Amino acid sequence: METCTTAVQLRTLVKQWKKQGFTVGFVPTMGYLHEGHLSLVQRSKEICDRTVVSIFVNPTQFGPNEDLDRYPRDFARDCQLLVQSEVDVVFHPDAGEMYPPGFSTFVEPGTAAQGLCGRSRPGHFRGVCTVVAKLLNLVTPDYAFFGQKDAQQVAVIRAMVRDLQMDVRIVSCPIVREEDGLAKSSRNVYLDDSQRQAALVLPGALASAQRMIAGGQTDANAIRQQILGELQGEKLAEVDYVEIVDGTNMQEVSKVHEGDLVAVAVRFGTTRLIDNFTVTK
């Protein structure tokens, strides 16, 4: 596995691959990798001849009171996992490489970024779109892989790629969960034992909603209230949002249909976790 730290290094390597006719897959991450990230890598390797993984904790998607400084980092461990997964290149730029002095151009996201995490984290998706646009421009992949746990992010990036006519296919991969159902997240390491146990209310509440829908319930507010009630029953849970939205544009719905997204965000102490499922019938 090769390591690139500059745009010039990365572009030179990818151009060589393209000349040889190789297809390129790209997995953007902020590091501290877990099985969820590695499932994206595996999917890329199934589809593409070469796979690039980026590790960059993007400062522009963090708010002033968020966890940029304490976001978990372990580049050596990440590299071990990527070598074991037979990744071809890891791109590991520093902030100065991605945002050099005088940087002032940002990508403004559209409608899909307005609610959910966009409402509670102002500016977050502006930072996400900007860094993803830059990375896609550098890697020029045929496919880029994202986890469904960040379903709104996937919708925002799909819209950006469509609107800006970027020549890349966005692939969304299923949520990977712990044995007890909690969605894999780099932020899970922040949880103490009691918070980790309390966090199981997330998959539990979503499972209740899935049963309601399977039983024929289509009223979005009734489903939302069921989820909210279960979350509020956990004393360590501070609910950020419970929303049911159109799976494409992230706008609220009153009646649930196939393809809609049921999404939650909850804080346990200072740790904010998200989870969701897409409605299937």
Side-chain angles (χ1 to χ4, degrees):
M1 183 181 75
E2 297 192 48
T3 300
C4 295
T5 59
T6 70
V8 172
Q9 291 174 324
L10 182 63
R11 279 180 161 148
T12 299
L13 190 57
V14 173
K15 285 179 180 178
Q16 293 173 355
W17 292 343
K18 294 292 184 78
K19 286 181 179 179
Q20 296 174 61
F22 294 139
T23 55
V24 178
F26 175 47
V27 180
T29 83
M30 294 206 299
Y32 212 75
L33 304 180
H34 52 67
E35 288 89 341
H37 298 110
L38 299 181
S39 72
L40 307 182
V41 170
Q42 182 59 40
R43 186 62 179 140
S44 176
K45 289 180 61 62
E46 291 170 358
I47 295 176
C48 304
D49 299 315
R50 296 290 184 269
T51 294
V52 177
V53 174
S54 66
I55 295 178
F56 177 63
V57 182
N58 176 38
T60 65
Q61 69 189 67
F62 288 80
N65 298 314
E66 294 184 334
D67 58 350
L68 173 62
D69 291 338
R70 71 186 189 102
Y71 192 86
R73 296 165 172 87
D74 192 337
F75 183 64
R77 170 184 167 277
D78 290 343
C79 285
Q80 289 179 347
L81 292 172
L82 295 178
V83 167
Q84 292 168 9
S85 298
E86 299 182 331
V87 165
D88 298 285
V89 171
V90 58
F91 180 48
H92 184 50
D94 61 22
E97 178 70 15
M98 295 300 289
Y99 301 106
F103 183 90
S104 61
T105 303
F106 291 84
V107 178
E108 290 292 346
T111 303
Q114 293 175 356
L116 304 177
C117 291
R119 183 185 304 116
S120 58
R121 301 182 68 189
H124 170 69
F125 286 116
R126 181 176 186 253
V128 168
C129 284
T130 300
V131 77
V132 171
K134 286 174 66 69
L135 289 168
L136 292 177
N137 184 47
L138 292 174
V139 181
T140 62
D142 299 283
Y143 298 84
F145 300 84
F146 296 85
Q148 182 63 22
K149 184 175 74 69
D150 297 298
Q152 185 179 18
Q153 174 176 275
V154 175
V156 169
I157 290 169
R158 285 192 193 280
M160 178 186 73
V161 166
R162 180 197 66 221
D163 293 346
L164 300 184
Q165 298 174 306
M166 295 178 172
D167 188 17
V168 59
R169 181 174 175 181
I170 302 300
V171 180
S172 177
C173 299
I175 296 173
V176 176
R177 298 184 178 276
E178 304 282 0
E179 289 186 7
D180 58 11
L182 187 67
K184 294 274 188 179
S185 171
S186 299
R187 289 184 168 92
N188 288 351
V189 297
Y190 297 157
L191 302 170
D192 63 26
D193 290 344
S194 60
Q195 291 168 342
R196 176 63 178 76
Q197 184 63 34
L200 295 180
V201 72
L202 272 72
L206 291 178
S208 294
Q210 287 178 302
R211 289 191 292 270
M212 289 179 70
I213 294 170
Q217 179 62 264
T218 61
D219 183 84
N221 188 57
I223 298 167
R224 180 180 179 277
Q225 290 302 318
Q226 175 65 34
I227 298 171
L228 189 61
E230 292 192 30
L231 295 177
Q232 291 176 334
E234 169 52 62
K235 64 180 181 180
L236 297 183
E238 180 184 345
V239 178
D240 184 345
Y241 65 73
V242 176
E243 300 289 351
I244 303 177
V245 299
D246 181 285
T248 300
N249 60 28
M250 299 289 113
Q251 300 300 294
E252 291 184 15
V253 298
S254 58
K255 293 291 184 181
V256 175
H257 300 89
E258 186 168 8
D260 289 342
L261 182 76
V262 181
V264 299
V266 180
R267 293 186 184 278
F268 299 89
T270 60
T271 303
R272 183 178 182 276
L273 301 181
I274 59 174
D275 204 346
N276 67 77
F277 71 87
T278 299
V279 176
T280 58
K281 294 186 176 181

